[in-house]
Amino acid sequence: MFSVRPLYMIGEGRKFGLQHGWPTVARYAVSGERVPPLTSALPLAEKVHDALVSLSDGAGVFTGCDELKRPLLGHRHAHILCESGDRLGEITAVTVYARRGFSALESEALEGLSRIWGPEDGPQVDLALRGLGWPEDFGESALLGKSRTWVSRTPFLATRHGKRTRAGVAKLDWRGLQIGGAEHDLLRLLDDAGLPEPVQVEPVAGTILGGEMVGWERFVTLRSGGAGRRPAGGGPCGFRVRFTEAVQGPVAVGYASHFGLGGFVSD
């Protein structure tokens, strides 16, 4: 039986080793001589992903595929999310989250992750595991909080095309939203993730990094490998979303949401 070490932060009444009690979060502190900014969350997350696939010998929770190489359904595989609490806007933490939890062997792979090379084979980035647990165990993280209001921290990209008539007029749903447009797709994806329907959605132009407003266009938004379901003309955008009840993070949806994009923080 797998032994529980002090590293694991296990809530009262939970049992390690059973799937319904497996930890769902691994959180790392990031350091290095030259740490990438949050605008490079996507390429850094891809590096973390590649390392975890290697360390786990291709575990499905990290590859996103089953033994027959078929994509896992229901977003059960890991999301790799970057955070910045730095005055320069650099990445200061990485969170790996999987709703179905990490088994003992998968947790060992997470423990073995300690360094990667930066985007485009840049300087080494060091990762120090702070703990394995559940979102509520990491109250210091705005990604893992519980709130009625969530705001984009990395850009959202829709996974569908906005629909238009042959005359080029946008096709609208009963709410007046363009079908397949960014806000329409956001609502669809939040529903797919099991979240309640928001009572208010409003666009935001960017996020604060290094003391300045950084527009979504300054983020890297194209994966180096694997196209995902991204429409040809879909541009990056962001939103502030309000629910009728508090929602437990993380909240990450849209193109490359398993690789650092589409991430929201509690507001």
Side-chain angles (χ1 to χ4, degrees):
M1 184 174 178
F2 189 77
S3 60
V4 177
R5 282 165 278 182
L7 176 68
Y8 298 100
M9 298 184 288
I10 300 178
E12 185 176 337
R14 290 183 172 126
K15 196 170 185 180
F16 188 83
L18 300 176
Q19 184 165 347
H20 66 271
W22 288 347
T24 60
V25 173
R27 193 157 187 267
Y28 300 83
V30 176
S31 62
E33 182 179 341
R34 198 172 67 198
V35 177
L38 189 64
T39 51
S40 292
L42 173 55
L44 184 75
E46 287 187 305
K47 294 283 188 177
V48 172
H49 166 264
D50 293 345
L52 288 172
V53 169
S54 177
L55 288 167
S56 67
D57 195 24
V61 72
F62 301 124
T63 65
C65 298
D66 63 16
E67 295 83 356
L68 300 177
K69 307 300 182 184
R70 297 174 300 194
L72 296 177
L73 301 177
H75 298 283
R76 290 178 293 153
H77 58 297
H79 291 263
I80 301 167
L81 306 170
C82 299
E83 303 174 57
S84 176
D86 181 79
R87 63 183 180 83
L88 299 177
E90 294 179 345
I91 295 171
T92 53
V94 167
T95 293
V96 184
Y97 169 80
R99 182 166 53 188
R100 51 77 94 179
F102 301 109
S103 70
L105 291 176
E106 293 158 359
S107 295
E108 287 184 4
L110 289 162
E111 287 186 47
L113 178 64
S114 61
R115 66 181 60 88
I116 57 172
W117 295 105
E120 299 180 0
D121 296 322
Q124 177 180 300
V125 175
D126 297 315
L127 301 167
L129 182 61
R130 293 309 189 198
L132 284 165
W134 292 265
E136 57 267 31
D137 295 324
F138 301 91
E140 74 280 4
S141 170
L143 281 171
L144 301 172
K146 190 172 185 179
S147 176
R148 290 177 55 192
T149 305
W150 291 81
V151 63
S152 292
R153 185 61 168 160
T154 55
F156 170 80
L157 288 107
T159 59
R160 292 185 174 180
H161 288 280
K163 292 186 178 295
R164 294 183 178 275
T165 66
R166 291 184 178 180
V169 178
K171 291 184 177 181
L172 307 181
D173 70 0
W174 61 272
R175 295 163 295 199
L177 301 177
Q178 182 182 14
I179 298 172
E183 185 174 340
H184 184 273
D185 205 40
L186 171 69
L187 294 175
R188 178 185 66 84
L189 292 168
L190 291 174
D191 182 64
D192 284 349
L195 296 171
E197 184 174 0
V199 293
Q200 185 177 5
V201 177
E202 57 183 352
V204 292
T207 191
I208 300 295
L209 291 176
E212 66 170 320
M213 176 64 76
V214 174
W216 304 121
E217 71 282 352
R218 289 175 56 181
F219 282 74
V220 178
T221 57
L222 185 63
R223 286 188 56 193
S224 61
R229 298 185 64 185
R230 179 180 176 182
C237 56
F239 297 94
R240 178 175 285 103
V241 180
R242 293 187 176 90
F243 300 96
T244 56
E245 59 191 82
V247 167
Q248 176 68 63
V251 177
V253 292
Y255 169 80
S257 61
H258 290 271
F259 297 89
L261 297 187
F264 288 72
V265 291
S266 54
D267 186 20

